[in-house]
Amino acid sequence: METKLRIVLPDQQLLKLYEQMFLAREFEERCAEQYTKGHITGFLHLYSGQEAVAVGATAALHRDDYIISAYREHAQAIVRGAEPKRVMAELFGKATGICKGKGGSMHLFDPALNFMGGYAIVGGQFPISLGLAFASRYRGEDRITACFFGDGAVNQGTFHESLNWARLWELPVLFVCENNFYGIGTEVHRSSALANIHKRTCGYDIPSEKVDGMDVIAVYKAVKYAAEKVRESGLPYFIEATTYRFRGHSMSDPGKYRSAAEHELWKSRDPLPNYARRLTEEGIADRKVLDAIEARCKARVEEAVQFAEQSPWPEDEQVWEDIYV
Amino acid sequence: MSEMNYRDALNLALKEEMRRDPSVVTWGEDVALYEGSFKVTRGLLAEFGEERVKDTPISENTIVGVTVGAAMGGLRPVAELMTVNFALLAMDQIVNHMSKARYMFGGQTFLPMVIRMPGGGGSQLGAQHSQSLETFFMHCPGLRVAYPATPADAKGLLKSAIRDNNPVIFLEHELLYNSKGEVPEDPEFLVPLGKADVKRPGEQVTIVAYARMTVLALQAAEELAKEGISCEVLDLRSLAPLDEPAILASVGKTGRAVVVEECWRTCGLGAEIATRIFENCFDSLQAPVRRVSGLDVPMPYSRKIEKLCIPQKETIVQAVKAVMQGKY
């Protein structure tokens, strides 16, 4: 039995969740198009299918809370408030990008949004999330750190070192595992002895739970609860959100290791149409309202593409800038 | 001025900076209660308490990563890795994160952090605990690298490193901890990063050295002086940025150079420095540049053969004489 949406959030915020998910999807699909046109190069890891995790979790966090993530992080940055046009410009390698074109798809960062980076070494963000959380506590800030990562990261040494350390130092870190069941082409059962990832935290005395990562409301509720636990106790907490990426690991991966049947099953659980259906069934929005939201998102992403196309390249001298203070 | 050893000079630098700035914190394996494997953090826990002086698990990569995060979050953390050898476990955080965060995030962050690491050979600790890895860090853009030779430089450089807004690898030589010297008492005494120091002026040959190699170079210069050879000993103090102007100025004056490095010879910092000398002052050279290096072998345990692997006063003397004779 699903919770009635209005018990969870007011209408306007419920609609905002839909808008953010649609914006993220639209952004990623246009990225794919721009990649095939050669405007975006390098690695491109798209988030399509996983939107409910970033959107539900971000909505449940405070604006001051730190978010840190891996390399599939466009949506997380945008949902946190990064302008799509500056993110798109970054992917185009333009000087107007969110990191001046020096980071690219995998290294988005905006300290004004407390978005503390996308990191492209699997598991590299774990220790950094601890340091951020320590700094917050040390400075007396009312801030927790939400650390996002995939199922592939849980067999890195840093995962285990950091879970142990976070509990030992009593750090306010919320670990959010986006379990999309595949580390590139290796299914979680083929890489993890205990594939039920959230159970692995018992060795570190960190409470954990599993949530349906295709349901934005379920994610919101779980993260809301978890974030308050972290804030009140100052201790770490762990959420495993089960989800699915509709595309390959990156644009260069056709994803042949997944069966069509599996893909179809997860497609039927697509967080966007399912949430849209709930919004209409519960009378929160009719199709017209949703159409308007979708049109607005499409226009924003189109504007982002235009902006990125028209933006200047970095100047040659910039290659030497920003190495040292 | 007061006389103190290298260890106490480092300890004083930490204390002074922690007193001066509440955002300075320090952590590492056995740093707090045990007061450091080499006792560099003696007295810190008692004076500054558990939130500023912290023991960590044996998780070197995470030690560096936590330090990166804390610096990004507004602190000025100083981490200790028990020895430089363990830094190899942390190379992901050092090379992939610490050195690159500012650049890849378009200059939107900076990391005012220091990673201290004792290192160097000569204590019969065997292959895994005797390494000189300074070149590894020099090779990576985005890092500052300091490696003092004297107690005064140890204090002044560590204070500068802590105040610097860039990530600094701060190397300390294990065999220098008990070496003594005059150290200024002024709490504002700072030694700038990136500036070499002429530890002994001379006319005929420049010996470029750093850390314990500077100490040996000074002993060699003393002996050579008795034979009428005047050596200038240039102590690099910082390896990154390398004080190229100081190197070129000295070699431009003397016309000869010997570079002494404790690290392995192949792709060592001596190769880099010799190349820069050849590229920039070829015309003023009266002899080819010569290197005195650590041997390209894993360090053996037995002291009889360990000695062969590390530059000694005698090998520096021989190299200088060879350069003076134009041999190569």
Side-chain angles (χ1 to χ4, degrees), chain B residues 288-325:
Chain B
V289 178
R290 224 180 158 89
R291 288 177 287 167
V292 181
S293 314
L295 292 194
D296 283 340
V297 299
M299 191 67 76
Y301 161 71
S302 172
R303 67 174 175 270
K304 178 166 179 292
I305 54 173
E306 183 196 47
K307 220 179 150 188
L308 302 175
C309 302
I310 302 168
Q312 306 290 327
K313 181 185 76 176
E314 295 74 21
T315 50
I316 299 169
V317 167
Q318 285 161 15
V320 169
K321 285 181 176 172
V323 166
M324 289 303 293
Q325 291 161 15

Side-chain angles (χ1 to χ4, degrees), chain A residues 98 109 138 161 319 324-325, chain B residues 22 51 62 93 103 108 143 166:
Chain A
I98 195 165
F109 188 89
Y138 186 88
E161 292 184 5
V319 77
Y324 297 101
V325 175
Chain B
E51 192 67 348
T62 293
Q93 283 296 329
Y103 193 84
Q108 297 181 94
L143 302 177
N166 297 290

Side-chain angles (χ1 to χ4, degrees), chain B residues 39-53:
Chain B
K39 303 299 168 197
V40 174
T41 52
R42 186 180 284 151
L44 295 186
L45 177 63
E47 181 171 348
F48 300 104
E50 288 186 348
E51 192 67 348
R52 294 185 71 187
V53 182

Side-chain angles (χ1 to χ4, degrees), chain A residues 212-240:
Chain A
D212 178 3
M214 301 304 268
D215 179 347
V216 68
I217 296 299
V219 173
Y220 172 81
K221 283 168 63 185
V223 173
K224 185 89 182 159
Y225 173 81
E228 289 318 309
K229 280 290 235 195
V230 173
R231 215 178 297 281
E232 283 163 22
S233 66
L235 297 172
Y237 197 95
F238 190 103
I239 285 178
E240 174 190 356

Side-chain angles (χ1 to χ4, degrees), chain B residues 7 20 32 56 86 119 150 235 259 267 295 302:
Chain B
R7 168 189 294 106
R20 177 179 175 269
T56 70
F86 311 154
T150 67
D235 177 17
V259 186
C267 301
L295 292 194
S302 172

